[in-house]
């Protein structure tokens, strides 16, 4: 079985690349005017009128929203023992809350999952 760091990093890659990047990447497409989704035209037009400083504020706010949502979601598992996030390999299980010092903060701490595994942040 993988060690605790490998397990947390594997989960962190999913949280950073799928849980964060999918939403944040959509925002970046809209702000750049390059969204392939025609339903976003109204937002592209709206944000197209913003200057770079205003767009940066939107990016920072959305970053806070997504990372805050991830924090609050993972906090559910830390504070409610009846809910679990379990890694399973070859019939063996590991509770992620038990192998992390503070699972809820893993995405947002310095050098956390978003900083290390997000393709959108690291462009």
């Amino acid at each position: 079985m993988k060690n605790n760091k490998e397990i947390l990093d594997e989960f962190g890659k999913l949280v950073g690349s799928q849980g964060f990047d999918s939403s944040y990447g959509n925002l970046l497409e809209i702000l750049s005017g390059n969204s392939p989704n025609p339903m976003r035209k109204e937002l592209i037009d709206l944000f197209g009128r913003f200057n770079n400083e205003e767009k940066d504020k939107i990016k920072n706010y959305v970053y806070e929203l997504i990372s805050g949502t991830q924090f609050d979601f993972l906090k559910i598992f830390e504070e409610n023992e009846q809910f679990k996030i379990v890694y399973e390999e070859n019939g063996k299980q590991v509770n992620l809350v038990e192998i992390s010092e503070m699972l809820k903060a893993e995405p947002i701490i310095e050098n956390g999952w978003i900083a290390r595994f997000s393709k959108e942040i690291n462009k």
Side-chain angles (χ1 to χ4, degrees):
M1 179 176 261
K2 294 178 177 129
N3 67 41
N4 291 351
K5 181 182 180 335
E6 291 170 328
I7 293 168
L8 288 172
D9 281 351
E10 184 175 331
F11 184 68
K13 286 176 185 173
L14 295 172
V15 170
S17 67
Q18 293 178 17
F20 180 84
D21 281 352
S22 60
S23 297
Y24 195 75
N26 289 334
L27 171 70
L28 296 180
E29 287 177 347
I30 291 168
L31 290 176
S32 70
N34 293 323
S35 176
N37 185 340
M39 296 176 64
R40 295 190 180 135
K41 182 178 179 350
E42 188 176 329
L43 288 173
I44 290 170
D45 292 344
L46 172 67
F47 291 143
R49 296 188 293 259
F50 289 18
N51 64 38
N52 287 339
E53 182 180 339
E54 292 166 325
K55 288 179 182 181
D56 285 343
K57 287 182 182 185
I58 294 287
K59 286 183 213 176
N60 290 337
Y61 181 61
V62 170
Y63 175 92
E64 288 178 26
L65 286 174
I66 298 168
S67 61
T69 299
Q70 288 182 336
F71 180 92
D72 291 337
F73 180 74
L74 293 171
K75 184 170 131 179
I76 291 169
F77 297 95
E78 285 190 356
E79 295 181 358
N80 299 278
E81 293 180 14
Q82 69 272 30
F83 298 106
K84 309 234 182 287
I85 299 179
V86 174
Y87 174 84
E88 184 173 346
E89 184 180 309
N90 299 326
K92 295 180 181 178
Q93 294 185 340
V94 176
N95 181 338
L96 273 63
V97 170
E98 293 173 0
I99 63 171
S100 171
E101 289 183 35
M102 189 179 295
L103 188 67
K104 64 188 173 200
E106 293 276 7
I108 60 173
I109 60 175
E110 186 177 336
N111 200 32
W113 293 339
I114 293 172
R116 288 188 293 148
F117 303 125
S118 167
K119 292 179 178 93
E120 298 298 339
I121 293 294
N122 294 311
K123 279 186 176 176

